[in-house]
Amino acid sequence: HYMSPEQARGQNVDARTDIWAVGVLLYEMVAHRHPFAGSTRADVLVSVLDHEPASLTDVAAHPPAELQRIVRKALRKDPEQRYQVMKDLLLDLEALRDQATIDRSGAVPTRIHRRTLARWRRAASWILAVPGVAAVLLLGYSARWKGTPFTPAQRLSIELGMSGGLPTTDVPLAISPDGTLLAFVARKSGEPPRLYVRRLDQLTATPLGGTEGASTPCFSPDGAWLAFFADLKLKKVSVTGGAVVALAEAPQPRGAWWSEDGAIVFAPHYRRGLMRVSSDGGEAQPVTTLTDGEITHRFPQVLPGGVGILYTASTEPMIGTGSTLVVQPLPSGKRTIVHRGGYFGRYAGSGHIVYMQDDTLFAMPFDLRRLTVTGAAARTIDSIQSDHGRGSAQLTLSQTGTMAYIPGRDRYGARPIVWMDRTGALATLRAEPSEWYNAEFAPDGRRIAVDVRDGGQTDIWVHDWSRGSLTRITSGAMNEEFPVWTPDGARLVYRTFKSSIDPYGNTISWKRADGTGDSQVLVHSTAALLPGSWHPEKKLLAYVATMPGTGEDVMILPVEGDEVGGWTTGKPVSFVGSPARERAPTFSPDGRWLSYTSNETGHDEVYVRPFPGPGPRVMVSSGGGHDSSWSRVRHEIVFTTEAVDYTQVLMVVRYRVENGSFVVENPRPWAERGSRVRQVLGSRMYALHPDGARVAIAPPAEGETVVPTHLTFLLNLFDDLRRIAPPKP
């Protein structure tokens, strides 16, 4: 509100900019309002640049003409027409004070004018003090313009203030706009995650009741409320606690921001655009639309003054490999790509956009009025924990220049494939690291299929570990993922993802497992599809489809034909369909049962149902479960569950069938000494070998098994950004 026009434009500034700020302050003392109209900061800046200040005679009672002249001169938009030095302004104010000391014998004709004059006389001494006080307050800024070094950033590490740890699978922390209050998601051992708040002038954090399962908090502009995701919804709660209010559906959320106008812009799903809902509730409305092959918009920030929305867009499922930072003007206008290759962009009050790329926080100068980049990007902070697969980073910024973050590295990256036996002993299966996911052994146990991310493209590969050979199965322009073997090991079924604007952008296809021949589409959809499991005896494929009204459901697809006469598909039928999210369907070795994951209780658990039914379902896991696999040699089901440190623990549960009923024992860890598996949201990171005695896993990297219990705070961030990435006019 005290920025001069040249400062707002990013042009050279000097002591005359201080004089402008003093002029604004004088005007406010006289008129009790800002000289430039505007309900938001952005409106004020536009008025500063494009309009003249309102006349003091229009907004104040009988201001002395000389005072009006002084204020007008201090607020000249052209610095050459402004006071050139503070001393000249001081002399004019002293002269005004002397003029106010007039003859009291009746020179002022009316009582009203006498009262007004008396008021101005009493105020004169205060007005006269303004230049000296302002000069002291602004001395640091003037010194910088004359060459004094910027104040260096300062780092300190603080404990959370509670006996627990932070998750690192999303964005668990937020700092209030004024930098005085920290909110974070954490959990104690054996408890679900929940929201905590901590005032930074206190040593302990306070849990907020009713926020179990929370993720990705954000503050209201006044710092009095928190928005967060839980139970497939966007919710809000007061920072002092109280009732939790549900605002909108958010089945697969990817970030939210509470804007100054009281609306919350959020990403309800990882395959959709952004939505907007009032913080008082109501119907959510779309804000952005996927275009140009994009598959997602996520982690938005509403820019100061509500001038636009900054968000991450991507054309790739692995967000960091196809990401762009986009600004959408508000209330309307053509969107602008401000950077390609970065993700999790945040506007900083220094006039920069900061973003993540290659484990590093970069900054680039940004003109908030024109919504354009005005200078080159520069590295600022190395080693901030991030997730280029999800497009998130563990950091938060205040409007005052304080940043809190979790030190670390990108949680995605190349890994070897490792054996783990029932004792927990590890051995190398494939030593060469790669970005592999969703492994599955062939029925013969000698081959393992994986999808591998390389150079912005995902393809299916088969590793014959008995011979040490590696064969690429798919090589199209699309992304091929989630390989599933047919019972004879002759073919691989997989998910293909094309463009989001293709009417058949999602398909489940299959191809010969040796890579020869053409692929064939089995089922296609405009919504997400995931293959699950092939029936061991019948030509039936269990898969997941996103259905209108119910979301992700388990479907059964009949396939008829042979290799000679060709293959045809029948009509898919629903096997498990509900408002809950069902995933990862897997047939038992005898085909009589089907396991799957559902979040009907509010968090994921593994269930088993008879196939083709009817019959009751049985919960297999307890305390969370994902990605079940059936042993072929033992009556066991293997699955993963989240660990306290947000890796995964491999679990196993024994079962038996009594009088047609499915009976399970208590789950226990797979290995005698530790069974940790790397956690990658949305991907299966282990494969059960047909012998039932070994699994192929991606072991957690160094640091992934460490529970973050401290945060690093960076002070004077804005000074560092101005020094490292100075804006250009």
Side-chain angles (χ1 to χ4, degrees), residues 655-668:
Y655 69 89
R656 63 185 184 275
V657 179
E658 294 181 350
N659 299 321
S661 298
F662 196 84
V663 181
V664 297
E665 299 178 2
N666 291 329
R668 65 183 188 278

Side-chain angles (χ1 to χ4, degrees), residues 47 49 81 103 208 228 259 379 570 584 728:
S47 184
L49 294 171
Q81 298 178 7
D103 183 6
L208 297 181
F228 64 97
S259 64
R379 300 172 70 98
K728 296 180 180 179

Side-chain angles (χ1 to χ4, degrees), residues 25-82:
L25 190 58
L26 284 170
Y27 188 104
E28 290 179 324
M29 293 176 69
V30 174
H32 304 287
R33 53 155 285 181
H34 195 275
F36 296 96
S39 58
T40 67
R41 274 184 270 183
D43 292 340
V44 170
L45 280 176
V46 170
S47 184
V48 166
L49 294 171
D50 297 339
H51 304 289
E52 294 298 326
S55 172
L56 279 176
T57 57
D58 295 334
V59 294
H62 309 292
E66 177 61 12
L67 180 58
Q68 296 181 56
R69 185 193 68 80
I70 293 171
V71 173
R72 281 198 304 270
K73 187 172 182 180
L75 293 179
R76 295 291 186 189
K77 293 185 182 293
D78 183 353
E80 296 298 327
Q81 298 178 7
R82 214 175 292 156

Side-chain angles (χ1 to χ4, degrees), residues 83-412:
Y83 285 102
Q84 299 299 293
V85 293
M86 192 70 78
K87 183 178 180 180
D88 290 344
L89 176 58
L90 180 64
L91 291 174
D92 280 356
L93 284 174
E94 288 176 338
L96 172 63
R97 179 190 59 190
D98 295 341
Q99 180 182 341
T101 309
I102 63 172
D103 183 6
R104 299 183 181 183
S105 62
V108 180
T110 68
R111 293 178 59 190
I112 294 177
H113 284 184
R114 286 192 179 95
R115 289 197 301 269
T116 302
L117 180 60
R119 177 167 58 85
W120 288 115
R121 187 184 297 115
R122 289 193 300 271
S125 58
W126 293 101
I127 293 175
L128 188 61
V130 169
V133 174
V136 172
L137 294 176
L138 299 175
L139 179 61
Y141 295 98
S142 297
R144 290 179 201 161
W145 299 331
K146 296 174 183 176
T148 302
F150 286 83
T151 305
Q154 299 176 355
R155 288 177 174 83
L156 65 152
S157 177
I158 70 166
E159 295 180 351
L160 295 178
M162 52 82 65
S163 58
L166 292 167
T168 53
T169 54
D170 213 319
V171 186
L173 64 158
I175 193 168
S176 61
D178 63 4
T180 64
L181 188 63
L182 181 71
F184 58 91
V185 177
R187 69 175 176 185
K188 300 178 180 180
S189 179
E191 297 183 4
R194 56 170 50 88
L195 270 177
Y196 290 78
V197 293
R198 176 182 172 182
R199 298 194 179 278
L200 295 180
D201 59 357
Q202 298 177 359
L203 296 178
T204 58
T206 302
L208 297 181
T211 63
E212 289 77 10
S215 70
T216 322
C218 70
F219 276 96
S220 61
D222 61 4
W225 291 82
L226 282 165
F228 64 97
F229 297 107
D231 304 323
L232 312 183
K233 297 181 184 296
L234 174 68
K235 301 182 176 183
K236 72 172 183 178
V237 66
S238 169
V239 297
T240 59
V244 174
V245 181
L247 299 175
E249 299 292 326
Q252 291 287 320
R254 295 295 187 271
W257 195 270
W258 201 318
S259 64
E260 297 171 14
D261 65 359
I264 300 174
V265 174
F266 66 107
H269 194 273
Y270 67 97
R271 287 291 185 267
R272 298 178 193 167
L274 302 177
M275 304 289 287
R276 178 183 185 275
V277 67
S278 169
S279 56
D280 294 327
E283 185 177 355
Q285 301 293 333
V287 177
T288 65
T289 303
L290 302 178
T291 186
D292 299 329
E294 295 169 343
I295 64 171
T296 183
H297 293 166
R298 56 183 63 192
F299 298 113
Q301 178 191 14
V302 181
L303 296 173
V307 297
I309 303 173
L310 171 67
Y311 61 90
T312 300
S314 181
T315 58
E316 300 292 339
M318 193 66 63
I319 302 304
T321 59
S323 61
T324 54
L325 296 177
V326 181
V327 169
Q328 172 65 55
L330 292 177
S332 63
K334 184 179 180 181
R335 72 178 203 159
T336 302
I337 294 177
V338 296
H339 183 74
R340 296 184 183 274
Y343 58 90
F344 201 74
R346 289 292 180 260
Y347 177 79
S350 57
H352 295 79
I353 288 177
V354 297
Y355 61 91
M356 290 301 302
Q357 188 170 329
D358 300 328
D359 298 334
T360 300
L361 187 72
F362 285 79
M364 55 187 178
F366 185 76
D367 187 324
L368 187 63
R369 180 169 179 262
R370 296 180 178 85
L371 301 181
T372 57
V373 175
T374 62
R379 300 172 70 98
T380 60
I381 304 172
D382 292 324
S383 301
I384 292 180
Q385 196 165 103
S386 59
D387 184 337
H388 88 261
R390 197 174 181 88
S392 61
Q394 316 303 319
L395 65 89
T396 179
L397 285 167
S398 77
Q399 294 178 359
T400 58
T402 298
M403 185 172 108
Y405 66 94
I406 303 174
R409 51 174 291 185
D410 188 343
R411 295 177 61 82
Y412 280 75

Side-chain angles (χ1 to χ4, degrees), residues 619-635:
M619 182 186 291
V620 173
S621 58
S622 60
H626 316 266
D627 301 321
S628 56
S629 298
W630 296 76
S631 172
R632 300 185 186 184
V633 296
R634 298 180 174 96
H635 283 182

